[in-house]
Amino acid sequence: MNNTYRTIWISDLHLGSTQCQADILLDFLKFNDSEKLYLVGDIIDFWSLSKKMYWPREHNTVIQKILRKARHNTQVIYVPGNHDENVREYDNYVFGDIIVKNSEIHTTANGKRFLVVHGDEYDTIAKYHQWIAKLGSSGYDFLLEINRFLRVIRRFLGIQSHFSLAAFIKFKVKNIVQFISDYEESIVNTLKNEGVDGVICGHIHHAEIKDIGGFLYVNTGDFVESCTAIVEHFSGELELISWQKLQDATIPDPLEASPTL
């Protein structure tokens, strides 16, 4: 039985990269429905695609699944990030029932107003020193490639776990922990007087819901390491969820086979 929410936010899918956990993402999209779905940036990884063409069938299926949701009463809003920044040129355009918004104000059922942005706008390295960001991205991709190998071994052994070597190293390195803290504070300090109750973003692959001085900082996480999303219940309450596959990918989805959808 599917979970149904008022709103779902997902980000940092990195389709077009070997790091995307498309199987878990597809499982999440299958078992979770919402009236509104926000794609909060780095949905397609054009940085990776510019280095080598990688687009397996599962990545195509993700796009089809999202388009199908958009055609069937889910309002889908695409907020581009730095890895898909070329999409920002199409602010307010509609593609296949999906609207592109460089930022958006979302009002929850209990009246809270949140700015929805990818978040790279508040990362000084990503904004002003893109070559450093790309160099760091390459190192991060290397760690994720090792993690991908470890993930295959864990699945072979029947171990379900979202352990991430990259995340483990991130939170053991003092400078990176400080970067995350600085990033959170940069967003909050910039936006706390802008007439919103909080911000919902992605970008740094660290999912969290945190009250900082009465301002709610919400990060969706990613689908390359932690496989997390933010959901809004019909009461307006926000929840961070970490997704584990519910269905084996070898079992066909009857909706996938339907030519009428």
Side-chain angles (χ1 to χ4, degrees), residues 35-92:
E35 293 179 352
K36 186 178 287 189
L37 171 64
Y38 283 95
L39 309 173
V40 194
D42 288 2
I43 304 306
I44 300 174
D45 193 334
F46 289 106
W47 288 14
S48 289
L49 288 170
S50 68
K51 290 183 281 189
K52 71 171 182 177
M53 188 61 197
Y54 177 80
W55 195 267
R57 193 172 89 176
E58 277 187 325
H59 291 205
N60 213 43
T61 306
V62 169
I63 299 295
Q64 292 171 352
K65 178 76 81 175
I66 291 171
L67 287 169
R68 186 178 298 116
K69 284 180 178 290
R71 289 198 304 268
H72 290 80
N73 301 319
T74 297
Q75 183 184 0
V76 181
I77 300 172
Y78 183 177
V79 180
N82 52 319
H83 284 251
D84 47 12
E85 62 186 350
N86 46 331
V87 181
R88 286 174 169 159
E89 299 175 14
Y90 301 98
D91 190 28
N92 289 314

Side-chain angles (χ1 to χ4, degrees), residues 221-241:
D222 62 89
F223 269 88
V224 297
E225 292 182 65
S226 54
C227 299
T228 52
I230 299 293
V231 299
E232 178 195 355
H233 295 276
F234 287 95
S235 64
E237 178 190 358
L238 299 183
E239 180 185 0
L240 167 62
I241 59 176

Side-chain angles (χ1 to χ4, degrees), residues 126-197:
K127 189 172 182 179
Y128 299 111
H129 306 285
Q130 195 174 87
W131 69 272
I132 297 177
K134 289 190 176 182
L135 184 64
S137 178
S138 296
Y140 178 66
D141 286 348
F142 175 70
L143 290 175
L144 288 177
E145 199 62 45
I146 296 174
N147 199 70
R148 185 176 174 226
F149 175 70
L150 294 174
R151 194 162 64 236
V152 170
I153 294 175
R154 289 198 305 272
R155 287 183 182 177
F156 178 76
L157 296 174
I159 302 170
Q160 277 226 10
S161 167
H162 283 324
F163 171 77
S164 167
L165 179 64
F168 176 78
I169 291 174
K170 270 197 300 191
F171 296 106
K172 289 296 182 181
V173 178
K174 183 178 179 181
N175 287 346
I176 299 178
V177 173
Q178 186 61 47
F179 163 76
I180 292 172
S181 176
D182 290 347
Y183 172 79
E184 293 172 352
E185 288 184 11
S186 171
I187 291 183
V188 172
N189 290 336
T190 303
L191 297 176
K192 64 183 180 182
N193 297 317
E194 294 297 316
V196 291
D197 299 292

